[in-house]
Amino acid sequence: MGNEGPSYTVDDALVALGFGNFQILVLAYAGMGWVSEAMEMMLLSFVGPAVQSTWGLSSNEESLITSVVFAGMLVGAYSWGIVSDTHGRRKGFIITATVTSAAGFLSAFAPNYISLIILRCLVGIGLGGGPVLSSWFLEFIPAPSRGTWMVVFSAFWTLGTILEASLAWFVMPRLGWRWLLALSSLPSALLLLFYRVTPESPRYLCLKGRTSDAISVLEKIARMNGTKLPSGILVSDHQIELREKSIPSEDTHLLSPGRTENVTPKQIDSNIAGISSLLVLLSPKLIRSTLLLWVVFFGNAFSYYGLVLLTSELNNGRRRCMQTNLQSEKSQDVNYRDVFIASFAELPGLLISAVTVDKLGRKLSMSAMFFLCCIFLLPLVFHQPEGLTTSLLFGARICITTTFTIVYIYAPEIYPTSVRTTGVGVASSMGRIGGIMCPLVAVGLVQGCHETASIVLFEIVIFLSGICVVLFPFETKGRELSDSVSS
């Protein structure tokens, strides 16, 4: 198999083909999914208080509306990651888009609290598929420009948050929360509309032994980009390993027990599913990265969604623990304004990500912004004027947007193709646990007049996340993506 002629990998092909019209269309599709997820997450800031007022809910019941979405995402992120690694990226994101759009639209017609909770949990299960789209897009980008284009992809999240804040500001006072839920489900429906024209990841196809299908996708990229494929035969990292090594490694045994020379992608496929994927993530070569990544995702989600909720909680009169109905009514417009303004903090966060991710690297960029976020939040341990509070939260949100953007670039890069979406999905699930807990802190503690305790908790979580980033074993800037653990 070894010396029959020149060969090239998917990475070589993508570098030769460049980033062109084909990737722009892939970016637009994946970006629409990211807009959809951002809108569904942002609306939690508005729907909870509105439903509480309409149905006379307790503050715990209001928090549960947010927490069940994260609970659903916890299940979805792991499940769709396995589906995507086993059956293909396209199957992964079509199921998630269907569940999200259907449950999101139906939740607008929920007749009571229980049905709303069930439907929002289903929305969360659908939203758990977000990492599938980001991994799918990542696998089409040439290695030298991967960091920059993943930041551009992340800009769609910011677009979604600003769009949702604008929509809420216009819709909520005039039409109410049901219309906001219905309109926010439309971007997911657009994914279903254009699904038929989406390609499968050539890297995934190559890993599964479907080389002819992978070549046809690469040829389509070449036609649309006006470039040519390298000469020779398309091979996967796994085939290169078998060509170069006759002695099985510890990781090869883990991926495919038995004799190495007989391993095929089909056999790998049968082993890497369900619990097997989790064992690969916890294998000796990946366990350190995996465990640190889980802590960073937890800290990022806890902090990001906590800051979104704090923006409306600290500045709406509850800061002084005077929770009268009159104040709540008067402060509603202020909430929309503050959340709308704070959502623009994501733009400088994206710019910082774009500038630093390929120059300073993933690790330094993330750790520096985590520590800077701690500095912004520190004055909020004490009572501050409303304008200063908004400014400090604005600065903190810039930092946490930067870390969130970069960790979604770094996470898929540290895992091989065989477990990439499962790895990012499980890490994302850990983030969802942070999301489940943050309403209890941001809403529960602040409403209970324990705002100092809530800010101190945020400080601890963010600082520990920064330490974990420093401890990551390697930098991924400029590295090619691998297809298997041993490579």
Side-chain angles (χ1 to χ4, degrees):
M1 178 180 170
N3 303 309
E4 295 170 357
S7 62
Y8 64 92
T9 64
V10 173
D11 267 313
D12 297 332
L14 290 174
V15 170
L17 298 174
F19 193 101
N21 294 332
F22 185 92
Q23 281 92 345
I24 293 293
L25 293 176
V26 171
L27 171 65
Y29 187 87
M32 183 55 63
W34 221 224
V35 167
S36 164
E37 181 161 345
M39 289 180 70
E40 291 287 356
M41 296 312 304
M42 272 298 290
L43 69 78
L44 298 173
S45 302
F46 309 110
V47 170
V51 174
Q52 182 187 34
S53 171
T54 305
W55 288 344
L57 306 178
S58 68
S59 93
N60 283 341
E61 287 172 324
E62 180 197 345
S63 295
L64 191 60
I65 295 171
T66 300
S67 293
V68 292
V69 175
F70 286 107
M73 292 173 91
L74 179 66
V75 175
Y78 179 64
S79 305
W80 305 136
I82 291 173
V83 168
S84 173
D85 281 333
T86 309
H87 301 290
R89 311 312 193 212
R90 292 179 80 242
K91 282 192 176 69
F93 60 69
I94 186 60
I95 300 170
T96 65
T98 304
V99 172
T100 304
S101 58
F105 187 74
L106 289 174
S107 62
F109 301 95
N112 52 45
Y113 177 71
I114 296 297
S115 58
L116 180 65
I117 288 291
I118 293 168
L119 287 166
R120 295 315 293 172
C121 185
L122 288 173
V123 169
I125 291 173
L127 291 176
V132 176
L133 277 170
S134 60
S135 295
W136 175 69
F137 174 61
L138 179 88
E139 291 174 357
F140 283 99
I141 311 176
S145 56
R146 201 165 54 223
T148 303
W149 282 107
M150 285 303 286
V151 171
V152 173
F153 170 69
S154 300
F156 283 91
W157 179 280
T158 301
L159 176 64
T161 61
I162 294 172
L163 187 60
E164 186 65 25
S166 309
L167 191 65
W169 201 356
F170 177 79
V171 170
M172 289 290 284
R174 295 168 180 81
L175 302 171
W177 60 272
R178 292 185 185 275
W179 274 93
L180 185 67
L181 286 173
L183 293 171
S184 299
S185 68
L186 293 180
S188 295
L190 288 176
L191 293 180
L192 302 177
L193 197 61
F194 295 104
Y195 171 72
R196 291 193 61 163
V197 297
T198 57
E200 183 55 89
S201 160
R203 186 181 296 279
Y204 168 83
L205 292 170
C206 198
L207 177 75
K208 297 300 179 184
R210 296 164 57 185
T211 311
S212 58
D213 290 337
I215 290 171
S216 68
V217 173
L218 292 171
E219 286 172 344
K220 188 175 180 182
I221 297 174
R223 283 196 304 273
M224 289 189 68
N225 289 1
T227 49
K228 288 185 178 180
L229 279 171
S231 58
I233 303 165
L234 177 64
V235 294
S236 67
D237 282 356
H238 179 70
Q239 288 171 302
I240 292 171
E241 282 170 47
L242 295 183
R243 187 186 305 177
E244 293 176 352
K245 290 184 183 179
S246 57
I247 302 169
S249 71
E250 174 185 350
D251 299 290
T252 313
H253 275 305
L254 176 65
L255 284 169
S256 185
R259 296 190 317 177
T260 307
E261 61 270 18
N262 293 331
V263 175
T264 66
K266 300 264 184 195
Q267 287 172 306
I268 292 175
D269 183 28
S270 66
N271 288 317
I272 300 184
I275 196 68
S276 302
S277 298
L278 196 55
L279 292 175
V280 175
L281 299 180
L282 297 174
S283 65
K285 280 202 173 183
L286 292 179
I287 187 167
R288 181 177 167 189
S289 297
T290 296
L291 295 179
L292 289 171
L293 195 65
W294 287 357
V295 177
V296 173
F297 262 86
F298 177 92
N300 247 321
F302 185 90
S303 311
Y304 178 85
Y305 297 117
L307 289 173
V308 170
L309 291 169
L310 278 178
T311 304
S312 56
E313 290 300 325
L314 289 180
N315 278 342
N316 67 356
R318 290 175 182 168
R319 177 92 193 203
R320 298 177 184 86
C321 299
M322 297 163 62
Q323 301 175 51
T324 64
N325 291 332
L326 181 62
Q327 272 186 313
S328 295
E329 286 168 17
K330 281 186 178 176
S331 64
Q332 274 210 321
D333 290 336
V334 178
N335 283 349
Y336 301 135
R337 186 200 66 194
D338 287 346
V339 176
F340 181 74
I341 291 170
S343 64
F344 278 91
E346 306 211 354
L347 294 175
L350 283 171
L351 289 174
I352 293 169
S353 304
V355 169
T356 61
V357 70
D358 280 328
K359 288 186 177 155
L360 301 180
R362 282 57 159 158
K363 287 180 61 178
L364 181 57
S365 303
M366 274 193 287
S367 57
M369 296 311 284
F370 269 127
F371 298 138
L372 186 58
C373 186
C374 287
I375 294 171
F376 275 115
L377 286 180
L378 198 56
L380 294 178
V381 170
F382 308 101
H383 288 276
Q384 303 295 342
E386 186 172 311
L388 181 58
T389 299
T390 301
S391 301
L392 290 168
L393 287 173
F394 191 90
R397 184 132 167 216
I398 289 174
C399 298
I400 219 67
T401 297
T402 305
T403 60
F404 223 148
T405 301
I406 297 173
V407 79
Y408 265 105
I409 297 169
Y410 184 79
E413 291 176 333
I414 64 174
Y415 288 121
T417 304
S418 53
V419 290
R420 181 168 295 119
T421 54
T422 301
V424 180
V426 175
S428 182
S429 293
M430 296 300 158
R432 303 320 172 195
I433 295 173
I436 292 168
M437 292 175 64
C438 85
L440 304 175
V441 176
V443 180
L445 286 178
V446 174
Q447 285 186 357
C449 300
H450 301 298
E451 62 206 43
T452 299
S454 72
I455 297 295
V456 168
L457 185 54
F458 278 115
E459 290 276 13
I460 293 169
V461 170
I462 293 168
F463 184 78
L464 288 176
S465 300
I467 295 295
C468 286
V469 171
V470 173
L471 296 175
F472 276 132
F474 56 85
E475 175 59 64
T476 59
K477 181 181 73 171
R479 286 170 58 125
E480 290 188 349
L481 298 178
S482 61
D483 284 338
S484 63
V485 178
S486 49
S487 64

